[in-house]
Amino acid sequence: MLTLAGLSHHTAPVDVRERFAAEVQAGRHSLAELLALDHVREAVLLSTCNRTELYVVTDGAVDDESLIAMLPKPPGVDGQSLPRFVYIRRGRDVVKHLFRVVSSLDSMILGEPQIQGQVRSAYESAIKLQREQRLVGPVLSRLFESALRVGSRVRSETRLGDGAASIPSAAVELAKKIFGALNGRHAVIVGSGEMSEIAFDCMRQENARISVVSRSEESARRLAARGTAAVHTLPHLPELLANADIVIAATSAPHNVITVEMVRRVLPKGPKQPLLIVDIALPRDVETEVGETPNVFLYNLDDLHQVIEGTMERRRAEVPFAEGIIDSGVEEFQAWHNALEVVPLIRALRQRSEQIRATEVERALRSLRHLSDSDRAAVDILTKQLLAKLLHQPTVRLREAVAAGDGAGIVNAARYLFELESQLENDAG
Amino acid sequence: MSMIGILHALALATYVLAGALIASSLAAGSREVSRPALLAIVAAVLAHGAALAAYTAGYGELPLVGLAASISTLAFLIGVGLLISALLRQARPLAVVLIPLIGMLVLAALVLGVRPSGDEFEFRGAWFSLHVVTAFVAYAGLAIAFSAGLLYLLQFRALKEKNFGRAFRFLPPLETLDAVGQRALVLGLGALSFALLLGWAWTVRFRASLTLRNPEVIWGVVTWLVFVSALVARRGGAGGDRRGASAAVAGFMVVVLAYVVLRVMTASGGLFL
């Protein structure tokens, strides 16, 4: 049976989630131990900063307690309180859950792109270990490959991943709406704290030419060491403003660092080319009136949140389309999975029929000793063909019924009518 | 309806389809012109080209003389210009202005009836064709500069007023619009200067004098001044891009207005397109 036990940002606080993530990252949780359990056939552990989920295929149903016991046991997390953070899914719900996870419908930020790579990497890690430990069998392999396919379809057929969904990406989106590509643009980062670091990394990714301005040269140098950048102190800010394309202000100063008087002094008629100033500091670094300067575009945190909210609204409108793709993927997987369940039955039916045929042919030939070798071979072939024709239609119908999801009754009837219960148990043993 | 008319109607229908697809992209909050819309534009321009080829084959002359034929050729060249600018992915939303403009021109040509005027011109042949085609290239360039300028002003306003809605998402970056507008103006000015020089040289060569009262000359000179003004407006101090965009929009309107005025003034007799 396909089962999932996990915890995520929906059910567990960040301190619990990070302990689980660290435990998995440290490699202290061994799936091989799980596979040593009699009833566990396949296992994949998915771990990101926001979720830890264990996907297992077991023989028969496993109770919640045993499933929770299979999860990693990070130090500092009380085993007694763990059940309230954990959710359990079984059968079809597991498929739907994983498809929603890969499509980022279950993510903290709807439509975020990283989850697909994280699922792929968890699956590939399990595949790497597969040769030694047989972690991934046919069911989980099919499940994860289907999930990644569904995730790709959701990404390409809907606009769930469109737009900026974080402060840095919103700033970059605004910059791109002014300058197109940011390659070679002069970006001035004012401040050297955590937000400045994020801004620096964003501008570096876009291949902008970066200047760092800070109160002390030392802190500016520390930030500039994250890449290639010119280093300046605050007194040089006015002259940098005069030839900047983008200014990102993120100091912790309690007063305005860029004032309208400063801008008017260095750019009395406004800049020749558009100048984008993004103020991500609290309290704000840039005087509001600076935005009234011709050709200057000034945005603060509220404006960036407005961009993000617009994105999220559009992403939420895409959810029904994504759910449609997911549902069709779930149906497809279920059809395959159901068909997988009928394989042992068909094999047992054919084996039993062949045993009967072989016994009866042998008995008949014993009383037909006058037949030549070629006649005996002809009788053997005739009965084989007869059997194949007789079993063809029931086999096809069984597969169809199971694939359609309404085959349980028919499968049970076939077991009963052909007395296959004991044979199936022997095969499973 | 003749084959030329049928092909024009087909081109018009495809332009309308392209317009509808672009409008749906915009309404859906898309970031760009969808692939089906782009394919519809290509199909429309191809159908339009086929209509003009049928005209050339049917009448044994290029569709450069007569109001309907000229309008159709101008619309076709704007369509070609749109396709060329669409090579730059970010510039594709220019279609939101240009497709309705082209559609209106093709409709006008259809209503007027696309056929030769029957008027006799002294100035004909290869030099005449070159003169008219380069002038039309210039007007197509002005239309593209107008479109880029208009979208620039809309995007500038959205950015300044922090209105991050559908139009903001759909419209190209200011830089792209500025670059497309500037190139269209430079190309247009070059083409128009060449066309005017050809016309002037022919007149001087065969008529020995050039009359500035000729409405075509007036329109040509007005258009040339518009091009120069739009390019000059870009130069100088702060906000040159925005001034250039405003000048392209205003200049296009001046050229259209000048055409209407000259057309009305010459309705009683003179030949003017």
Side-chain angles (χ1 to χ4, degrees), chain B residues 27-195:
Chain B
S30 172
R31 287 176 166 275
E32 54 186 18
V33 172
S34 65
R35 183 176 284 268
L38 194 63
L39 290 174
I41 296 171
V42 173
V45 174
L46 286 175
H48 199 167
L52 296 179
Y55 180 102
T56 308
Y59 295 115
E61 65 175 52
L62 288 168
L64 304 174
V65 180
L67 186 57
S70 305
I71 286 176
S72 179
T73 303
L74 176 61
F76 173 71
L77 288 172
I78 297 173
V80 172
L82 173 60
L83 286 184
I84 292 169
S85 62
L87 291 173
L88 188 63
R89 192 186 180 93
Q90 287 182 323
R92 289 175 188 170
L94 286 176
V96 81
V97 177
L98 290 177
I99 289 293
L101 179 65
I102 296 169
M104 280 192 292
L105 290 172
V106 176
L107 180 64
L110 261 173
V111 170
L112 291 168
V114 189
R115 67 183 82 86
S117 65
D119 297 329
E120 281 302 320
F121 288 88
E122 295 169 78
F123 181 24
R124 302 210 81 151
W127 289 110
F128 170 78
S129 299
L130 193 59
H131 163 76
V132 178
V133 167
T134 47
F136 281 174
V137 166
Y139 286 106
L142 186 61
I144 290 166
F146 160 74
S147 159
L150 187 61
L151 297 188
Y152 184 101
L153 295 176
L154 289 173
Q155 185 67 301
F156 189 95
R157 191 172 160 176
L159 280 159
K160 213 52 177 157
E161 293 182 359
K162 301 173 183 179
N163 184 2
F164 308 127
R166 291 192 173 108
F168 165 77
R169 280 169 55 76
F170 186 75
L171 295 182
L174 296 180
E175 181 75 18
T176 305
L177 292 167
D178 181 56
V180 170
Q182 187 182 9
R183 281 173 206 165
L185 285 175
V186 169
L187 178 77
L189 179 63
L192 188 64
S193 303
F194 182 72

